[in-house]
Amino acid sequence: MDSIKHWINGSYVPAGARTAPVTNPATGKVTGQVSLATEDEGNAAVAAAAAAFPAWRDTSLARRTQVLFAFRELLNARKGELAAILTAEHGKVLDDALGEVSRGQEVVEFACGIPHLLKGSFTENASTNVDVHSVRQALGPVAIISPFNFPAMVPMWFFPIALAAGNTVVLKPSEKDPSAANWLAELWKEAGLPDGVFNVLHGDKVAVDTLLTHPDIKAVSFVGSTPIAKYVYETATAHGKRVQALGGAKNHMIVLPDADLDLAADAAVNAGFGSAGERCMAISALLAVGPVADELVGKIAERTNALRTGDGSRGCDMGPLVTAAHRDKVAGYIDAGEAAGATLVVDGRTVTPDAEGDGFFVGPTLFDNVDTDMSIYRDEIFGPVLSVVRVDSYEQALHLINSNPYGNGTAIFTNDGGAARRFENEVEVGMVGINVPVPVPMAYYSFGGWKNSLFGDTHAHGTEGVGFFTRGKVVTTRWLDPSHGGINLGFPQNA
Ligand code: NAD
């Protein structure tokens, strides 16, 4: 049984009285006990980050980037280890876990270019003999609070840039799959990061609240469900912090009558059931426009029935859900959809998984003829349940997306460039795919949704991430100017 402890100031802290079990969702077996921080332990993690900040902030960009490059090399060489941890605690299949690590690694690679990203500007002789330049400086200790569904990638959206810019970090990962964070902390140490610059604080609301209210934490990057994102945003901003809080999602995919239906069916299956639907960019509602529905549903059903569900370490297509409680919640939504009169085309409740023990499985599930007042359409299910809603027109489909409270990701499948261009312009969603079902932006663009999918105004990574983890300073300089003008109490004017 693993004891998963806090990592503070470069070493593990002995487990205290508060712990929670960690489970392998494919077998149902408890594999570890994770520490749940007390307020004192939270304060200790912040104190370590605060003590390490002055020296790390003043470490040259050349030295900071050496550490980042070393981290990137170690991560690249050993990512299989991290992927295995993800599969064992989250349940996603190994291939998918490797994909998660690779997408996180792209942000590390982006952050290796931090000297260029931090370059300020310089204006010579802005006023007579007066020069002006700008710099961007680190904020201080920052908190990153992450969800269960991407235990490696989501923290890596933030910490490579935060650290590269000279901040120190306290990461509070999900208590459901906490080991990836410790693996990453040890890797930082091996890469040469000084102790205290990157800390991992495990826990629940106590740990989160300590970080949100602590005066030494200068910024909070949060990813999780919408109610908690809103709470984090409101609490941390009330305590004077800069906050980006990414929330939940209900992503729609439109299929127009001219689309390639095989491509659309492949995409719907991949985006609906990948990672058992536990992705904030999963497609959950498919809007079939006009006459395509019968043929499209047939193609999706055929592909869905061919998927193999089971233990993610056995080469299956789809793994379990993260906990027994979440499995029951997802199964409850399927019950509700059936009771409400949607057509249950493929029923995941009857799946026989390829796994030992008592894992938390629901197979891929397909509903047709879903109405927009049903809970399977309205709620974020966060499971392998794909709902087909039949609509008459593009306008009707667009209206459904734009009136949805979430606005994380969306996609359109069509061969009509004009229709795609119109959709891209009109849709009120942060990340848009044209014949791409999971349009997760590259590290050098920024990731983020609109409406209830993001509280705050800065998206993750890319140049928005650099802006979030730094603050600007403008310096106006005059050297050796004999004509300074003497006493003049008027407001400075340029000449
Ligand atoms: P969650 O909101 O339950 O937990 C997220 C984090 O908040 C965890 O670290 C958890 O310990 C902490 N937390 C939970 N309850 C809390 C409370 N009452 N007070 C303070 N902290 C609390 O989310 P989850 O179930 O881990 O993750 C799934 C959710 O995350 C989904 O809604 C999904 O859409 C969303 N998500 C969004 C994005 C995005 O980019 N928008 C990405 C990934 C996941």
Side-chain angles (χ1 to χ4, degrees):
M1 180 84 64
D2 288 341
S3 173
I4 304 150
K5 306 183 185 84
H6 312 303
W7 173 268
I8 298 177
N9 208 20
S11 54
Y12 287 113
V13 175
R18 297 183 72 230
T19 61
V22 175
T23 311
N24 181 333
T27 63
K29 290 210 174 76
V30 175
T31 54
Q33 290 290 333
V34 61
S35 295
L36 299 179
T38 59
E39 197 180 333
D40 284 348
E41 287 166 329
N43 289 338
V46 178
F53 176 63
W56 181 243
R57 169 197 192 275
D58 288 339
T59 300
S60 71
L61 276 171
R63 293 216 171 86
R64 291 212 299 259
T65 45
Q66 277 167 13
V67 176
L68 275 150
F69 273 103
F71 181 82
R72 188 268 171 203
E73 288 304 292
L74 288 168
L75 180 63
N76 192 45
R78 291 173 43 194
K79 59 178 135 189
E81 288 172 35
L82 182 55
I85 292 172
L86 302 181
T87 297
E89 289 188 358
H90 174 280
K92 63 180 69 179
V93 303
L94 258 179
D95 259 9
D96 191 35
L98 266 175
E100 162 175 359
V101 177
S102 300
R103 293 308 300 262
Q105 183 178 315
E106 288 172 9
V107 184
V108 181
E109 288 158 4
F110 171 75
C112 285
I114 197 75
H116 182 72
L117 294 161
L118 286 185
K119 273 196 312 197
S121 53
F122 188 94
T123 304
E124 185 184 46
N125 228 23
S127 187
T128 306
N129 285 336
V130 172
D131 304 328
V132 181
H133 71 275
S134 67
V135 291
R136 296 206 68 86
Q137 297 188 327
L139 305 175
V142 300
I144 297 166
I145 301 162
S146 55
F148 81 83
N149 69 320
F150 283 106
M153 182 187 77
V154 165
M156 280 195 275
W157 281 350
F158 306 107
F159 68 65
I161 298 172
L163 295 172
N167 304 281
T168 54
V169 167
V170 178
L171 167 63
K172 207 303 282 174
S174 169
E175 63 275 39
K176 292 181 183 136
D177 42 19
S179 295
N182 285 6
W183 189 91
L184 289 161
E186 290 189 35
L187 208 71
W188 274 120
K189 184 155 180 146
E190 208 175 321
L193 192 74
D195 290 348
V197 175
F198 182 80
N199 307 278
V200 179
L201 182 73
H202 294 289
D204 51 15
K205 184 170 167 55
V206 176
V208 171
D209 286 347
T210 304
L211 296 172
L212 301 184
T213 55
H214 198 296
D216 287 347
I217 291 290
K218 301 302 175 199
V220 176
S221 296
F222 171 89
V223 181
S225 58
T226 287
I228 310 295
K230 192 160 183 282
Y231 166 77
V232 164
Y233 182 77
E234 287 169 354
T235 309
T237 52
H239 285 81
K241 301 176 200 328
R242 183 179 289 202
V243 185
Q244 48 181 187
L246 284 70
K250 187 77 186 178
N251 304 315
H252 294 63
M253 164 174 160
I254 301 184
V255 180
L256 293 186
D258 63 87
D260 175 336
L261 292 192
D262 286 304
L263 177 73
D266 285 345
V269 169
N270 296 340
F273 306 132
S275 196
E278 292 172 326
R279 290 180 185 147
C280 67
M281 291 292 276
I283 291 294
S284 152
L286 191 152
L287 306 175
V289 179
V292 295
D294 286 343
E295 193 182 345
L296 183 60
V297 169
K299 286 177 185 289
I300 295 173
E302 190 187 323
R303 288 159 171 79
T304 303
N305 281 318
L307 295 176
R308 200 156 63 88
T309 301
D311 188 324
S313 61
R314 293 189 179 191
C316 297
D317 298 302
M318 201 185 91
L321 292 161
V322 69
T323 58
H326 192 49
R327 185 260 325 271
D328 294 346
K329 184 176 163 197
V330 172
Y333 273 111
I334 301 172
D335 298 344
E338 201 178 23
T343 311
L344 185 53
V345 183
V346 181
D347 184 355
R349 293 170 300 185
T350 57
V351 74
T352 308
D354 176 1
E356 307 291 331
D358 194 12
F360 314 136
F361 290 97
V362 170
T365 298
L366 178 63
F367 276 111
D368 191 7
N369 298 306
V370 173
D371 278 346
T372 53
D373 57 356
M374 295 177 184
S375 62
I376 50 171
Y377 175 77
R378 282 198 324 269
D379 297 354
E380 180 183 36
I381 301 174
F382 223 55
V385 181
L386 183 62
S387 294
V388 175
V389 179
R390 295 175 176 232
V391 294
D392 294 332
S393 64
Y394 162 84
E395 286 77 12
Q396 203 185 338
L398 181 75
H399 173 73
L400 281 180
I401 298 176
N402 284 354
S403 52
N404 194 275
Y406 298 104
N408 212 42
T410 188
I412 189 166
F413 278 72
T414 178
N415 280 313
D416 180 343
R421 190 173 185 280
R422 187 177 158 197
F423 177 69
E424 163 192 335
N425 175 259
E426 293 176 341
V427 76
E428 292 170 20
V429 170
M431 294 171 282
V432 180
I434 313 285
N435 297 320
V436 173
V438 184
V440 174
M442 298 296 294
Y444 42 89
Y445 285 86
S446 296
F447 182 107
W450 289 12
K451 302 191 272 186
N452 283 354
S453 298
L454 177 89
F455 300 88
D457 44 28
T458 315
H459 289 186
H461 62 68
T463 49
E464 291 201 35
V466 178
F468 182 79
F469 286 119
T470 54
R471 51 187 171 172
K473 185 182 273 181
V474 180
V475 183
T476 304
T477 310
R478 175 160 50 201
W479 286 108
L480 306 174
D481 179 5
S483 62
H484 57 74
I487 297 290
N488 178 355
L489 271 59
F491 197 70
Q493 294 185 36
N494 296 318

